[in-house]
Amino acid sequence: MQDLKKISSKDIAEAVGKTAPAISYLKKRNANEFSLLKLGVLCTKLNLDDEDLMAMHTLKQIGLKNRIAC
């Protein structure tokens, strides 16, 4: 299994139907859009949906509140 921390331009390109050079160009010119595409590919590889992401967000918020209360 591929290291999930490393999502390449090629991985993103295959997922969105673009070329790797186009994704590399996007990475340099529009980092926010590149990050969203990278997150989407990672979520696909981990089989995460919007409910999973919301649950993780809620757990993160609870964790932050517990640290502040201490």
Side-chain angles (χ1 to χ4, degrees):
M1 182 175 183
Q2 178 185 343
D3 184 6
L4 292 176
K5 291 181 183 178
K6 296 184 181 190
I7 303 296
S8 69
S9 293
K10 183 180 176 187
D11 295 328
I12 296 170
E14 289 173 2
V16 298
K18 302 276 183 181
T19 64
I23 299 301
S24 295
Y25 179 82
L26 180 66
K27 182 179 181 180
K28 293 176 186 172
R29 301 291 180 193
N30 192 339
N32 289 336
E33 186 175 347
F34 175 81
S35 294
L36 286 173
L37 289 174
K38 186 175 180 178
L39 179 61
V41 171
L42 184 60
C43 287
T44 300
K45 287 182 179 281
L46 293 172
N47 194 27
L48 299 174
D49 61 15
D50 58 337
E51 290 178 11
D52 297 326
L53 295 175
M54 289 301 297
M56 286 189 286
H57 174 72
T58 300
L59 289 172
K60 183 177 178 181
Q61 294 296 18
I62 291 169
L64 289 175
K65 289 178 185 175
N66 287 341
R67 288 186 198 155
I68 294 170
C70 293

